Amino acid sequence: MEFNSKLMKDLSNCFSPSGREKNVREFITNEIKDYVDEIKVDALGNLIARKKGTGKKILFSAHMDQIGLIITHVDEKGFLRFSNVGGINAKELLGFRVVFDNGYEGVICSEKLEEKEKITFNKLYIDVASTSPDFVKTNFQIGDMCVFQSQYYETEECVICKAADDRIGCYILIEAIKNYSETETDVYYVFSVQEEVGCRGAVTAGYGINPDICIALDVTATGDSLDGIKMDVKLDGGAAIKLMDKSLITHPEIKDLLTNLAKENNIKYQYEVLEFGGTDAGAIHTTMSGVPSGVISIPTRNLHSCSEIFHKNDVLECIKLVNAVTKQ
Ligand code: CO
Ligand code: ZN
């Protein structure tokens, strides 16, 4: 299987911050609708596709939303004040470009500060490069959201892009659906909403489906760069089988299932313990009377920045592992 650069680029470029997942949902629907038995959108906006079977019910989940910013106030001079939608550190935002749903762009600037360490959201503003407050007031309103802007770039090995978290998980499920082979398993592919603000879509999707097991697909950090994160996971180390994060201790049966399937199918894998963060599996494993759950993670550098980096080989191993779970 080759890495499908166009598919990844298109997914990364969909404008879909939390609660505004329409663009990416429509894009994914078009990609998969001819390959599945059922497809629907639930009340919160989760996209749920199904390959029907009479066997065990498996739920795979990847979230469609990306972190973003929301306008809180447009000031007299035409500068935009904003707050975060999802986990964003104000200290890292200076100079980031942002893009709105209407295509307009801006840059994040700071009021004059004596010490850069003191940066907080209420010292920052977005400059949309206009000298006309009227123009700004016409085109930007309280509640409008924007996302980080950066250009998709690819090397022989890796991809640099925005919203790899979690469009790469969506990519893996799309490719898994397209390469599905017949099985008894009843498979639900959930493309969830609002993960970045607390796995809200996963709560209702998990409850509605009530699966026998759940596997989330999401990015994880790595310990192989110089950013100080101490962990075992590295780029090109294979699919990362999560053992624990802040939202989940992987069920022993799921750890064994994923490990054995990886071994039997010659899929390169590594184990992951993440000391921060969580995924949709955290929300789904406590739904109804409980769902044994785990996560297949994609090792990713620079999480929640405008330029996340992942390795194409790891992605291909993750797709193989998803389809191995489907077929067992
Ligand atoms: Co995230
Ligand atoms: Zn994520």
Side-chain angles (χ1 to χ4, degrees):
M1 190 189 291
E2 290 269 300
F3 186 80
N4 184 342
S5 305
K6 178 164 191 316
L7 176 60
M8 187 59 216
K9 184 178 178 181
D10 289 346
L11 281 165
S12 167
N13 284 334
C14 284
F15 176 94
S16 290
S18 306
R20 300 281 181 276
E21 293 88 354
K22 183 167 169 279
N23 293 332
V24 65
R25 182 171 54 237
E26 286 176 358
F27 179 84
I28 294 171
T29 303
N30 269 324
E31 284 293 320
I32 63 173
K33 63 178 190 305
D34 297 334
Y35 297 87
V36 294
D37 300 321
E38 254 177 40
I39 189 159
K40 67 166 190 179
V41 178
D42 77 4
L44 290 196
N46 296 303
L47 177 66
I48 301 173
R50 183 178 178 195
K51 291 291 278 182
K52 280 190 193 168
T54 51
K56 209 157 55 166
K57 225 194 252 188
I58 299 186
L59 186 166
F60 290 105
S61 182
H63 67 89
M64 294 188 289
D65 61 313
Q66 68 198 112
I67 53 172
L69 302 170
I70 184 166
I71 298 178
T72 54
H73 173 65
V74 181
D75 81 10
E76 291 313 308
K77 289 185 169 149
F79 295 123
L80 315 178
R81 297 292 177 161
F82 61 90
S83 187
N84 57 312
V85 180
I88 293 174
N89 185 347
K91 293 182 175 60
E92 291 166 3
L93 286 180
L94 211 51
F96 273 24
R97 286 270 288 279
V98 293
V99 59
F100 290 81
D101 203 5
N102 57 16
Y104 287 124
E105 297 194 18
V107 60
I108 299 173
C109 305
S110 167
E111 293 174 17
K112 186 169 162 46
L113 289 173
E114 297 309 323
E115 291 165 76
K116 219 177 137 207
E117 282 301 299
K118 298 236 168 80
I119 292 180
T120 54
F121 278 101
N122 60 18
K123 300 288 182 206
L124 296 173
Y125 61 92
I126 297 168
D127 186 335
V128 293
S130 170
T131 57
S132 158
D134 282 346
F135 168 85
V136 177
K137 292 211 155 126
T138 311
N139 291 290
F140 301 90
Q141 271 98 40
I142 176 174
D144 288 354
M145 291 187 193
C146 59
V147 299
F148 299 149
Q149 176 67 314
S150 74
Q151 207 152 44
Y152 183 92
Y153 175 76
E154 208 177 300
T155 65
E156 276 292 297
E157 294 180 82
C158 291
V159 172
I160 304 179
C161 70
K162 58 181 168 177
D165 178 7
D166 189 22
R167 303 292 158 72
I168 190 57
C170 298
Y171 172 98
I172 288 165
L173 289 190
I174 292 168
E175 289 289 271
I177 289 168
K178 289 182 177 173
N179 291 282
Y180 166 94
S181 54
E182 216 42 61
T183 155
E184 291 295 286
T185 316
D186 197 13
V187 195
Y188 288 81
Y189 301 91
V190 174
F191 299 89
S192 66
V193 295
Q194 299 191 41
E195 189 273 350
E196 296 291 358
V197 291
C199 303
R200 296 172 190 169
V203 171
T204 59
Y207 189 91
I209 295 165
N210 191 22
D212 295 308
I213 70 170
C214 158
I215 309 283
L217 279 298
D218 209 337
V219 296
T220 190
T222 70
D224 65 352
S225 67
L226 305 178
D227 59 5
I229 298 172
K230 303 273 191 292
M231 65 189 293
D232 255 13
V233 174
K234 58 177 192 286
L235 295 196
D236 202 22
I241 297 173
K242 189 186 292 287
L243 303 181
M244 191 177 101
D245 62 21
K246 280 282 174 274
S247 72
L248 176 81
I249 298 170
T250 301
H251 194 288
E253 273 173 33
I254 303 296
K255 178 196 168 189
D256 292 345
L257 173 73
L258 294 175
T259 306
N260 293 335
L261 286 171
K263 284 181 182 158
E264 285 162 24
N265 294 283
N266 281 320
I267 297 166
K268 195 169 169 188
Y269 74 97
Q270 51 190 328
Y271 284 133
E272 169 210 348
V273 174
L274 183 68
E275 295 179 273
F276 51 89
T279 72
D280 280 352
I284 294 169
H285 83 296
T286 55
T287 201
M288 302 290 271
S289 46
V291 181
S293 298
V295 182
I296 300 172
S297 303
I298 309 91
T300 305
R301 292 179 185 164
N302 307 331
L303 285 176
H304 283 205
S305 75
C306 59
S307 298
E308 298 169 327
I309 301 175
F310 62 85
H311 201 292
K312 291 183 258 183
N313 287 348
D314 295 331
V315 174
L316 299 176
E317 297 305 294
C318 290
I319 297 166
K320 284 192 231 162
L321 191 50
V322 167
N323 278 336
V325 174
T326 309
K327 267 186 80 178
Q328 45 82 39

